[in-house]
Amino acid sequence: MLKSNLEINEKKAVVHLQGRADTLSSECVFTSYEKAKAEGCNEIEFDMQGVEYICSATLRAFLKSQKDCNKNGFEMYVTGASDGVKDVFELTSFSSIINIS
C-alpha cells in the first residue's frame, strides 16, 4: 500500500511517497497532485525515496499528472527513486516525459 505525505512551502509541494505503488493505491499519486494544485502550487516534487515497487497503473497516474502540469505551465519531477524504480521509468520510456533525478 502506498502512503503519501504532502508538504507545501509557498508555491512548491513535495509529495513524500512510501510503500508499494500498486494498482490499488495508484490514484494516490494523482490525488496528491490535485491537492497540491488546489493549494496554488506550481512546482510539484514526488519524493520516491520510500517506494520499493511501482506498477503500470501508478505510471499512468504520473503521466496524467505530468500532462496536467504541461497544460498549466507547472513543473513536476520525481526524486529519490531507487535504481529498480528508475529502471521501470526508463524501460517504459516515461523517463523521456517525466523529469526523474
Side-chain angles (χ1 to χ4, degrees):
M1 182 67 128
L2 188 65
K3 296 177 186 175
S4 70
N5 180 30
L6 178 62
E7 177 184 316
I8 297 175
N9 185 7
E10 295 186 24
K11 296 286 184 183
K12 180 181 178 182
V14 179
V15 180
H16 301 279
L17 299 173
Q18 187 169 8
R20 291 178 54 85
D22 58 19
T23 303
L24 296 175
S25 57
S26 64
E27 276 304 306
C28 176
V29 170
F30 191 71
T31 301
S32 296
Y33 166 75
E34 286 284 296
K35 287 179 185 175
K37 182 179 166 184
E39 291 290 329
C41 297
N42 58 16
E43 181 180 352
I44 296 103
E45 171 186 350
F46 285 94
D47 175 9
M48 296 188 64
Q49 198 166 13
V51 176
E52 55 205 47
Y53 169 84
I54 187 168
C55 73
S56 60
T58 304
L59 288 172
R60 283 190 298 277
F62 275 112
L63 182 60
K64 185 177 177 182
S65 300
Q66 183 64 64
K67 284 183 176 182
D68 195 68
C69 279
N70 293 348
K71 184 175 100 178
N72 290 294
F74 298 165
E75 188 171 340
M76 184 186 108
Y77 46 95
V78 173
T79 61
S82 69
D83 289 341
V85 171
K86 281 182 184 177
D87 286 347
V88 173
F89 276 99
E90 289 174 17
L91 289 170
T92 58
S93 298
F94 278 57
S95 59
S96 65
I97 301 166
I98 299 167
N99 185 2
I100 301 174
S101 56

